[in-house]
């Protein structure tokens, strides 16, 4: 496995699966009779020994595998045990028994579905990976059981152990992730609809370098930007009408036990779980984006953060997801001159969004639902981010429907004197009324002026524009 980032890794960097014959186990529990068994022989022996067990024994299975495969004897499955007891109070009934067997059987077919015993990291030299639903379930079963090792560059893990531990600050979210995960192994999916993961670069789009169409684009800025409003309690996932959604991802993308937009979407869509965890050797470079197609959300959510909760389990239509990692500005003080407007940062974000939207346009996708990308946990300014999405969308020919929390505000210098914080949605509506017919080129020129760069927040930017 490569320890380099995706932009400088060697061609065809491989991820070694636990069925690879080169992996040898010390078999600390003495599960097999072999003197030097392979890791896979130990995994098969442990899985086989649990075939007659119930779903309530899943935590013990995970603990045994952790010790035998990774020499980890400290795995905490307290939350998982509690979840299983509450969700499946009669583990010997048909549904939990079927669920347990589905997990075990999908894990056992790993060498059949992946005869090379490897995955190939997404990169410029391997820009597309297409999997059958069975192949996806097989990988997710091993993430669930904890048999996998993180790729080089992955510092947060590739299995779901973080969902199993006793201390869960966001219990509703993790309950939702686990409910969706187990529903995944019971839900029927069309066997002929594959899931496709793509790594998009300039070469993929047949470009030698990123053009800068915003310097000459005469399309009115707001022609390709729409706003939708919701609240922290009512925001819905998946989008009800648009089948393409932007994920504000980390440069090391993937799931987690919190409830960022990326974590919620990934947890709601099990087919996304292997993407950031196994097919990527992070970090994602500035000139790369990820796209996943044929992904079916399996749970419906309301709210975000501490208010997020599952309101239904079902198999939705196939969605396309664009994963864009934004720059992290959260370590800057709120009233510092806006880091978003530093020329290198502004250009990086605009080029990243344009690359992603251009990839969608090349696939005949012309409308995407998006959060205020990079304006949440990453600390970006929501007004500047909205302008970036609008410019990139207009230049690429993709309309962007941005979801704005109706209560989201911007801190200004006047706020400390008792004046109310201006609301983001009001600022955007005022800006649309004021500059609705201004072209992308005009806004790009203006936003690079010294007057705008001196602004301390998006409210000031909108006023100056």
């Amino acid at each position: 496995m490569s320890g380099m980032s995706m932009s400088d890794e060697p061609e065809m960097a491989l991820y070694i699966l636990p069925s690879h014959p080169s992996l040898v186990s010390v078999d600390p529990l003495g599960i097999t009779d072999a003197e030097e068994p392979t890791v896979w022989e130990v995994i098969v022996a442990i899985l086989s020994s649990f075939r007659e067990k119930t779903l309530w024994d899943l935590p013990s299975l995970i603990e045994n595998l952790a010790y035998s495969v990774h020499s980890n004897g400290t795995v905490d499955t307290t939350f998982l045990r509690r979840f299983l007891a509450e969700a499946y109070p009669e583990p010997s009934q048909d549904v939990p028994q079927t669920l347990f067997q589905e997990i075990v059987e999908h894990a056992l077919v790993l060498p059949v579905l992946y005869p090379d015993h490897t995955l190939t990291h997404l990169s410029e030299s391997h820009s597309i990976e297409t999997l059958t639903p069975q192949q996806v379930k097989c990988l997710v079963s091993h993430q669930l059981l904890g048999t996998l090792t993180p790729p080089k560059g992955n510092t947060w893990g590739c299995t779901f152990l973080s969902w199993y531990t006793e201390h869960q600050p966001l219990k509703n979210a993790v309950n939702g992730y686990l409910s969706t995960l187990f529903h995944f192994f019971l839900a029927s999916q069309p066997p002929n609809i594959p899931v496709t993961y793509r790594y998009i670069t300039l070469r993929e789009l047949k470009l030698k370098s990123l053009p800068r169409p915003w310097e000459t684009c005469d399309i009115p800025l707001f022609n390709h930007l729409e706003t939708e409003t919701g609240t922290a309690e009512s925001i819905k996932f998946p989008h009800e009408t648009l089948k393409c959604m932007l994920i504000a991802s980390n440069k090391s993308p993937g799931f987690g036990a919190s409830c960022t937009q990326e974590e919620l979407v990934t947890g709601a869509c099990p087919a996304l779980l292997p993407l950031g965890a196994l097919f990527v050797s992070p970090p994602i470079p500035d000139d790369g984006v990820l796209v996943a197609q044929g992904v079916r959300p399996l749970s419906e959510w309301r709210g975000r953060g501490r208010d997020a909760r599952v309101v239904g389990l079902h198999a939705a239509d196939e969605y396309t997801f664009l994963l864009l990692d934004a720059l992290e500005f959260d370590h800057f003080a709120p009233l510092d001159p806006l880091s978003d407007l530093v020329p290198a940062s502004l250009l990086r974000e605009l080029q990243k969004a344009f690359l992603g939207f251009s990839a969608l346009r090349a696939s005949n996708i012309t409308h995407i639902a998006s959060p205020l990308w990079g304006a949440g946990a990453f600390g970006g300014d929501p007004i500047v981010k909205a302008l970036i999405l609008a410019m990139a969308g207009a230049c690429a020919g993709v309309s962007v429907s941005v979801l704005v929390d109706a209560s989201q505000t911007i801190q200004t210098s006047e706020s400390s004197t008792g004046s109310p914080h201006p609301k983001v949605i009001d600022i955007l509506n005022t800006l649309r009324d004021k500059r609705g017919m201004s072209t992308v080129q005009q806004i790009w020129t203006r936003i690079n002026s010294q007057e705008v760069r001196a602004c301390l927040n998006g409210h000031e930017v909108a006023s100056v524009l």
Side-chain angles (χ1 to χ4, degrees):
M1 291 178 283
S2 169
M4 305 178 185
S5 67
M6 294 175 66
S7 58
D8 59 8
E9 65 181 347
E11 292 192 0
M12 309 299 280
L14 300 179
Y15 175 84
I16 306 300
L17 292 168
S19 59
H20 200 284
S22 68
L23 301 178
V24 178
S25 172
V26 296
D27 190 13
L29 296 177
I31 299 295
T32 69
D33 296 327
E35 215 171 281
E36 289 188 349
T38 64
V39 166
W40 186 243
E41 287 173 331
V42 171
I43 290 174
V44 170
I46 294 176
L47 292 176
S48 299
S49 71
F50 273 78
R51 266 190 162 132
E52 303 303 319
K53 303 286 188 178
T54 73
L55 187 61
W56 280 12
D57 296 300
L58 178 61
S60 296
L61 172 57
I62 292 169
E63 291 167 4
N64 283 2
L65 287 168
Y67 187 59
S68 296
V69 176
H70 305 297
S71 298
N72 182 359
T74 62
V75 169
D76 178 4
T77 59
T78 305
F79 189 84
L80 176 62
R81 289 179 186 277
R82 189 180 305 124
F83 170 85
L84 293 174
E86 294 174 357
Y88 305 95
E90 298 292 338
S92 60
Q93 290 185 345
D94 288 345
V95 170
Q97 280 293 81
T98 300
L99 171 57
F100 187 61
Q101 294 305 318
E102 285 288 308
I103 294 169
V104 171
E105 296 306 321
H106 276 93
L108 286 170
V109 296
L110 181 65
V112 177
L113 297 179
Y114 296 92
D116 294 334
H117 312 292
T118 60
L119 304 175
T120 304
H121 286 314
L122 292 169
S123 64
E124 279 196 316
S125 56
H126 183 73
S127 60
I128 186 168
E129 184 72 40
T130 300
L131 301 182
T132 66
Q134 290 298 99
Q135 286 178 306
V136 175
K137 276 191 177 180
C138 178
L139 291 179
V140 174
S141 71
H142 281 276
Q143 291 181 277
L144 188 160
L145 293 169
T147 63
L148 304 172
T149 302
K152 292 293 180 66
N154 179 322
T155 60
W156 54 269
C158 63
T159 65
F160 309 140
L161 296 184
S162 65
W163 293 349
Y164 304 159
T165 59
E166 180 173 17
H167 182 62
Q168 296 292 346
L170 298 179
K171 293 181 180 180
N172 285 342
V174 178
N175 272 325
Y177 302 152
L178 290 174
S179 297
T180 306
L181 175 63
F182 291 126
H183 179 63
F184 177 55
F185 286 94
L186 294 173
S188 59
Q189 292 184 278
N192 58 340
I193 298 181
V195 178
T196 301
Y197 308 109
R198 297 174 59 203
Y199 171 54
I200 307 296
T201 61
L202 298 178
R203 189 167 77 176
E204 178 79 2
L205 297 179
K206 297 181 172 56
L207 298 172
K208 291 184 178 179
S209 61
L210 262 175
R212 297 189 181 188
W214 40 86
E215 295 180 348
T216 56
C217 180
D218 60 1
I219 298 174
L221 176 73
F222 285 98
N223 272 18
H224 287 76
L225 183 72
E226 304 167 3
T227 54
E228 302 178 33
T229 57
T231 66
E233 298 79 19
S234 67
I235 289 174
K236 297 179 180 180
F237 176 84
H239 197 279
E240 293 180 316
T241 58
L242 298 177
K243 304 304 180 185
C244 180
M245 300 187 69
L246 186 151
I247 299 177
S249 68
N250 195 284
K251 62 183 179 182
S252 297
F255 56 88
S258 297
C259 201
T260 64
Q261 187 251 2
E262 176 183 21
E263 290 170 330
L264 187 152
V265 174
T266 305
C269 303
L272 291 176
L273 293 169
L275 175 55
L278 301 176
F279 283 106
V280 169
S281 180
I284 305 295
D286 289 344
D287 60 352
V289 301
L290 299 172
V291 174
Q293 296 173 289
V295 175
R296 293 162 67 92
L298 292 188
S299 55
E300 183 181 351
W301 292 69
R302 292 289 183 277
R304 66 179 186 180
R306 294 190 177 277
D307 296 305
R309 63 206 180 278
V310 168
V311 295
L313 297 173
H314 61 87
D317 296 333
E318 289 79 33
Y319 278 66
T320 294
F321 291 97
L322 170 64
L323 283 74
L324 293 185
D325 58 294
L327 290 173
E328 300 178 22
F329 295 132
D330 52 304
H331 59 282
F332 287 90
L335 295 182
D336 282 344
L338 271 180
S339 303
D340 304 73
L341 297 175
V342 173
S345 299
L346 181 64
L347 183 60
R348 186 269 189 194
E349 301 291 75
L350 187 51
Q351 288 181 329
K352 172 78 76 165
F354 176 70
L355 179 63
F357 294 158
S358 296
L360 297 179
R361 193 67 181 85
S363 296
N364 297 315
I365 295 174
T366 59
H367 207 161
I368 186 172
S370 173
L372 274 170
W373 173 61
F378 293 136
D381 182 86
I383 304 303
V384 178
K385 291 301 186 187
L387 292 172
I388 289 172
L389 291 172
M391 288 189 284
C395 292
V398 174
S399 295
V400 186
S401 292
V402 176
L403 181 60
V404 181
D405 186 335
S407 64
Q408 185 176 4
T409 60
I410 289 182
Q411 182 178 348
T412 66
S413 56
E414 289 80 12
S415 302
S416 60
T417 65
S419 300
H421 299 303
K423 291 185 176 181
V424 170
I425 188 63
D426 293 339
I427 298 171
L428 289 175
N429 288 337
T430 300
L431 189 58
R432 180 189 294 275
D433 293 340
K434 175 183 174 183
R435 300 299 301 265
M437 296 309 296
S438 296
T439 66
V440 172
Q441 184 271 332
Q442 289 172 331
I443 296 298
W444 170 251
T445 300
R446 186 65 177 144
I447 207 170
N448 278 283
S449 67
Q450 290 300 321
E451 187 178 7
V452 171
R453 286 181 186 169
C455 291
L456 301 179
N457 54 68
H459 182 245
E460 292 186 11
V461 171
S463 300
V464 172
L465 285 178

